[in-house]
Amino acid sequence: MQRISVVGTTGSGKTTLARQIQQRLNIPHVELDYLHWEPNWTEVADNIFQQRVSQALSGDSWVVDGNYSKVREIIWRKADTIVWLDYAFVLTMSRLLKRTFWRVVTQQPVCNGNRETWKTTFSRDSILLWGLNTYHKRRKEYPILFSQPEYAHLQVVHLRSPQATQDWLFSL
């Protein structure tokens, strides 16, 4: 386990777990949001995003977090392990609500100087709306993707609760 992709719905704790894996295994952490978002929440062009991801994952070991389908093939082809955070809807959404509220109130930078605001939180571009719209889609999509022949080389670690995640992490 030297090339790990952490996936899961928005708010499941992908970045937090990836940082913990980084510390436990002493491997580089790549956060896809930093490669995808420019200042002012501007998305980079797909080809630039793909180049950035390829370059970031050129080493022998890493842990990457994120769900971007635009770069999934690049990541999963190089990965040896997928860690899927598949938590209950209520848990995931409550975490997302708390995190979003905290970021808006404290104006904590998210990535590349971007910040969440009340305006975006209650807009069509809301991370909360994104979480609502993608939660069930991800739960259906991942098992189908994991069964594809091109991903047969991947060890899939399916974690269904924070306790299972902590137990797995401590086993590393």
Side-chain angles (χ1 to χ4, degrees):
M1 226 178 18
Q2 289 296 303
R3 294 176 310 280
I4 304 163
S5 176
V6 180
V7 299
T9 193
T10 301
S12 60
K14 297 178 298 293
T15 301
T16 299
L17 179 59
R19 288 180 182 145
Q20 292 170 328
I21 293 169
Q22 171 192 27
Q23 292 173 345
R24 298 276 296 181
L25 300 181
N26 196 28
I27 59 177
H29 171 219
V30 177
E31 191 173 342
L32 292 181
D33 284 343
Y34 276 90
L35 303 178
H36 181 259
W37 294 106
E38 293 289 329
N40 300 313
W41 292 111
T42 303
E43 292 183 78
V44 299
D46 289 354
N47 65 323
I48 293 171
F49 185 36
Q50 291 163 348
Q51 289 170 1
R52 288 177 178 179
V53 170
S54 291
Q55 183 177 7
L57 303 182
S58 63
D60 292 332
S61 60
W62 38 261
V63 56
V64 61
D65 67 85
N67 291 315
Y68 292 90
S69 58
K70 299 172 186 178
V71 292
R72 180 185 299 132
E73 175 63 27
I74 295 167
I75 297 166
W76 288 16
R77 186 184 43 194
K78 294 180 177 191
D80 55 40
T81 305
I82 300 286
V83 178
W84 178 23
L85 299 179
D86 183 21
Y87 299 162
F89 178 77
V90 171
L91 175 63
T92 303
M93 286 308 297
S94 66
R95 283 180 164 190
L96 185 59
L97 279 166
K98 288 176 193 173
R99 183 188 81 182
T100 302
F101 179 78
W102 177 254
R103 286 178 174 175
V104 169
V105 169
T106 64
Q107 284 297 286
Q108 171 187 353
V110 179
C111 60
N112 295 322
N114 291 308
R115 299 178 196 290
E116 293 183 19
T117 65
W118 291 119
K119 182 179 178 182
T120 57
T121 298
F122 296 106
S123 74
R124 290 183 3 188
D125 295 328
S126 169
I127 191 72
L128 301 175
L129 189 56
W130 178 260
L132 285 169
N133 289 334
T134 60
Y135 177 83
H136 295 290
K137 177 184 172 189
R138 295 272 184 256
R139 290 191 96 192
K140 291 177 185 176
E141 174 184 52
Y142 282 129
I144 294 167
L145 288 167
F146 298 150
S147 69
Q148 299 301 310
E150 60 267 33
Y151 303 128
H153 68 284
L154 294 169
Q155 173 191 354
V156 177
V157 179
H158 187 181
L159 301 168
R160 296 177 185 222
S161 71
Q163 184 60 56
T165 300
Q166 288 307 304
D167 292 346
W168 175 81
L169 184 65
F170 290 135
S171 74
L172 295 182

